[in-house]
Amino acid sequence: MNEMATEILIVGGGLSGVAAALAVAAAGRRVVLSEALPWLGGQLTAQAVPPDEHPWVEYQLGSRSYSQFREKIRQHYREHYPLTPAARADTRLNPGAGNVNTLCHEPHVAAAVIEQQLAAYVSAGRIWLLRGYEPVAAECTGDRIDSVTLRNRQVGHDIVVTFDLVIDATELGDLLALAKVEHVTGAESQADTGELHALEVADPLDQQAITWCFAVDHLPGEDHVVARPAGYDHWRRIQIPSWPGPQFSWTVSDHVTHRPRVRQLFDGEPDQVWAWDLWHARRIAARRQHADGFFTSDITLANWPQMDYWAKPVLGVDDESAQAAMAEAKEVSLAFLYWMQTEAPRPDGGQGYPGLRLRPNVTGTHDGFAMQPYFRESRRIVPEFRVLEQHIGVEARGSAGAAETFADSVGIGAYRIDIHPTSTGRNTVDIDSYPFQIPLGALIPARVENLLAAGKNIGTTRITNGAYRVHPVEWSIGEAAGVTAAQAVQRRTTPRAIRNRPSELLVLQGALTARGVDLRWPSFAALTPTSRSGWVEA
């Protein structure tokens, strides 16, 4: 066992952890960043989910550093891929030409760009990167966390890290559980939150579906059928109680209306420029944008409603049960792939697409599946300030109009409230919300003094998490946490004191503004609801 001391510890190397580390290092402070998986980037890389973004992202609203990150991804393609002249000249290059957003790309490219952004700080010793390490214990005294034990299970090595301040940027709020920080899971009740779409009775085990994504291309005439999964017959017949038919079907429940909706794998040719089918939703490599013959097929990222695993929760249960649920989630995705390869009805009257081929070299794994499931929700802190549906929901706000304005804003975001089927069989909730702010109070636990939440673990409810959980918002939350942590360490204060002392809050907001962080929405966007129109399920 080794011991290590640092000013700031960031546990979790997803988008929020990366953004936080960059902000801390840029402020001249020392930070340790730990990540259990081989890739940094979380939902964008290890979970293999191309960005879900707001309609104004190309106007570089939100965070300058996030916009720069997006442009570095585009530049990576221009420098290293044989793009067509038209694609290379496109200032808004969309490498996969997917229609979920304007920047669909391969997860390994984002992972490479993240490494490039961190490299100089790592060399300078400002960021000490611990790869393969996950939190397994935390020591606390009163309302402070004194140390976190990080373990590399592969080599059997522990490091005990002491710090002034710690940021929990894990995918599931792991540090909250280890340090016994007050938190909630699942669904709150209407009596608690007053939200229109909350459950009547709170249920901590009512949690959103997780999805184990995979990458595939399509080679007609070839046979790449996977081995029949052991549980195939079970998953083939399973049906969400509120769905119109079996989950393995081209007919799903519409996210908004809950009416039957047919969505085929292909609507025309796989490599056509545009289509509202499953294939084009998260296409991450479009062969038509590259030199003739370079790609033998488009590549798409499978993250579709038929793959949602809602049978069992993964939070608030013992580790063995959580691992079993995740194993079942992976089998559901594999079973759906097998169904598509062998039984899925085709427009020509035939069955199956045996040419669908898993792409391990795209996901960085041995089997073509992501390194971990796509988690849509986490443990959430009991915060100093909680974001409710009444603050951002169009219906909930009624005549009040635009989202609530927060005096302690540390960033902005925009996305509709999008909740997938849950582990109790509840159908989707998909409602309009206004572009919103990120209040600092939602990052600060109600009790613990030297912890900041940075990710899906902030003080939202299960309802508002459905809008705050997407890529650019997670980045902005992490960036705000990093700048706050750096100021707290430099000025020997706490995040709570920064929020509650006007002079300290003004310094923080000035530092964020200097980094190019927008703290409020311009008037042309503030009253424009973000809705399902033009978007694809996330």
Side-chain angles (χ1 to χ4, degrees):
M1 179 185 293
N2 287 18
E3 295 183 356
M4 177 181 293
T6 186
E7 292 178 315
I8 297 164
L9 169 65
I10 301 172
V11 184
L15 284 177
S16 62
V18 168
L22 289 169
V24 170
R29 312 314 302 184
R30 292 180 292 108
V31 60
V32 170
L33 172 63
S34 69
E35 171 53 48
L37 297 175
W39 282 353
L40 300 173
Q43 63 176 316
L44 183 62
T45 59
Q47 296 175 20
V49 181
D52 293 295
E53 299 173 321
H54 58 75
W56 305 279
V57 68
E58 295 295 350
Y59 294 93
Q60 300 187 1
L61 290 175
S63 161
R64 182 169 62 208
S65 66
Y66 183 74
S67 296
Q68 290 170 341
F69 173 59
R70 296 177 87 251
E71 289 309 307
K72 287 178 185 295
I73 289 173
R74 285 179 167 139
Q75 191 60 28
H76 184 97
Y77 279 93
R78 294 188 184 106
E79 291 179 357
H80 301 291
Y81 283 63
L83 298 171
T84 64
R88 189 177 305 279
D90 187 355
T91 58
R92 294 187 175 181
L93 171 65
N94 187 347
N99 57 41
V100 71
N101 65 72
T102 57
L103 186 62
C104 285
H105 58 273
E106 300 156 276
H108 68 84
V109 171
V113 170
I114 287 170
E115 296 292 338
Q116 293 165 9
Q117 290 191 284
L118 294 176
Y121 291 124
V122 171
S123 296
R126 290 194 189 180
I127 296 177
W128 199 276
L129 183 55
L130 297 178
R131 297 182 187 274
Y133 284 85
E134 61 182 295
V136 295
E139 295 294 328
C140 305
T141 301
D143 295 335
R144 291 184 61 86
I145 304 174
D146 299 317
S147 68
V148 172
T149 300
L150 303 170
R151 177 169 297 163
N152 187 316
R153 297 186 186 277
Q154 192 168 22
V155 299
H157 182 250
D158 287 0
I159 300 177
V160 178
V161 185
T162 57
F163 43 79
D164 297 315
L165 191 145
V166 60
I167 296 173
D168 183 351
T170 60
E171 296 299 320
L172 295 176
D174 296 334
L175 194 54
L176 305 183
L178 293 173
K180 296 182 173 55
V181 179
E182 292 79 3
H183 64 273
V184 298
T185 63
E188 297 91 347
S189 69
Q190 287 184 344
D192 174 21
T193 68
E195 294 173 312
L196 290 175
H197 292 86
L199 297 183
E200 290 188 11
V201 178
D203 186 347
L205 298 181
D206 185 78
Q207 298 165 22
Q208 282 190 80
I210 64 175
T211 304
W212 209 308
C213 304
F214 57 82
V216 287
D217 56 14
H218 183 233
L219 304 174
E222 296 188 14
D223 186 351
H224 295 280
V225 177
V226 298
R228 182 185 177 98
Y232 178 70
D233 288 337
H234 169 72
W235 301 120
R236 181 177 175 274
R237 292 191 301 267
I238 202 166
Q239 180 177 347
I240 298 175
S242 54
W243 273 36
Q247 192 162 333
F248 289 5
S249 166
W250 298 136
T251 301
V252 298
S253 174
D254 184 274
H255 255 230
V256 179
T257 67
H258 296 161
R259 296 172 183 164
R261 178 186 179 189
V262 177
R263 197 135 171 241
Q264 297 279 353
L265 178 61
F266 297 121
D267 182 8
E269 294 300 319
D271 64 348
Q272 68 187 67
V273 175
W274 189 266
W276 283 110
D277 54 20
L278 294 175
W279 186 263
H280 289 79
R282 296 180 187 273
R283 184 173 56 178
I284 55 177
R287 67 174 179 173
R288 286 190 176 184
Q289 295 194 128
H290 296 80
D292 287 345
F294 186 76
F295 279 97
T296 55
S297 166
D298 289 351
I299 306 172
T300 200
L301 200 289
N303 173 25
W304 305 323
Q306 296 92 332
M307 298 160 54
D308 281 358
Y309 174 80
W310 46 271
K312 298 173 186 174
V314 297
L315 298 171
V317 297
D318 60 76
D319 186 64
E320 183 178 350
S321 298
Q323 292 299 321
M326 285 188 274
E328 285 191 354
K330 191 169 188 178
E331 188 177 54
V332 167
S333 293
L334 183 63
F336 183 61
L337 172 62
Y338 182 80
W339 178 83
M340 290 192 295
Q341 291 173 325
T342 60
E343 294 190 59
R346 301 195 307 259
D348 64 6
Q351 285 188 313
Y353 297 92
L356 290 173
R357 179 180 64 168
L358 285 165
R359 291 296 306 270
N361 52 343
V362 171
T363 57
T365 58
H366 72 281
D367 57 6
F369 282 75
M371 294 178 180
Q372 68 178 184
Y374 176 27
F375 299 112
R376 293 182 173 88
E377 63 183 76
S378 166
R379 299 174 182 90
R380 302 183 297 278
I381 60 169
V382 175
E384 186 156 283
F385 178 83
R386 183 170 57 170
V387 181
L388 305 174
E389 182 182 354
Q390 298 91 294
H391 295 131
I392 68 170
V394 172
E395 183 181 1
R397 290 192 61 73
S399 60
E404 189 84 8
T405 299
F406 301 125
D408 63 340
S409 173
V410 288
I412 61 174
Y415 205 71
R416 65 189 184 280
I417 295 172
D418 177 17
I419 299 173
H420 279 233
T422 69
S423 48
T424 60
R426 187 186 188 193
N427 205 338
T428 55
V429 174
D430 196 308
I431 52 179
D432 295 354
S433 63
Y434 288 111
F436 50 78
Q437 294 174 313
I438 302 166
L440 177 59
L443 280 62
I444 301 173
R447 177 181 61 84
V448 178
E449 293 294 342
N450 67 332
L451 168 72
L452 283 165
K456 299 180 182 72
N457 57 355
I458 69 168
T460 57
T461 63
R462 207 272 291 282
I463 298 296
T464 53
N465 166 71
Y468 278 74
R469 66 180 173 83
V470 293
H471 304 66
V473 185
E474 182 182 357
W475 180 282
S476 291
I477 290 169
E479 186 171 20
V483 175
T484 304
Q487 179 173 325
V489 169
Q490 180 181 357
R491 298 167 77 91
R492 298 183 180 181
T493 186
T494 65
R496 193 181 324 279
I498 290 174
R499 177 177 185 256
N500 293 307
R501 293 176 186 162
S503 59
E504 291 286 351
L505 181 60
L506 188 63
V507 171
L508 173 65
Q509 291 176 325
L512 287 164
T513 300
R515 281 185 59 84
V517 174
D518 294 318
L519 302 182
R520 57 191 54 83
W521 281 94
S523 57
F524 72 81
L527 286 168
T528 306
T530 49
S531 65
R532 167 61 57 177
S533 176
W535 299 83
V536 179
E537 290 85 352

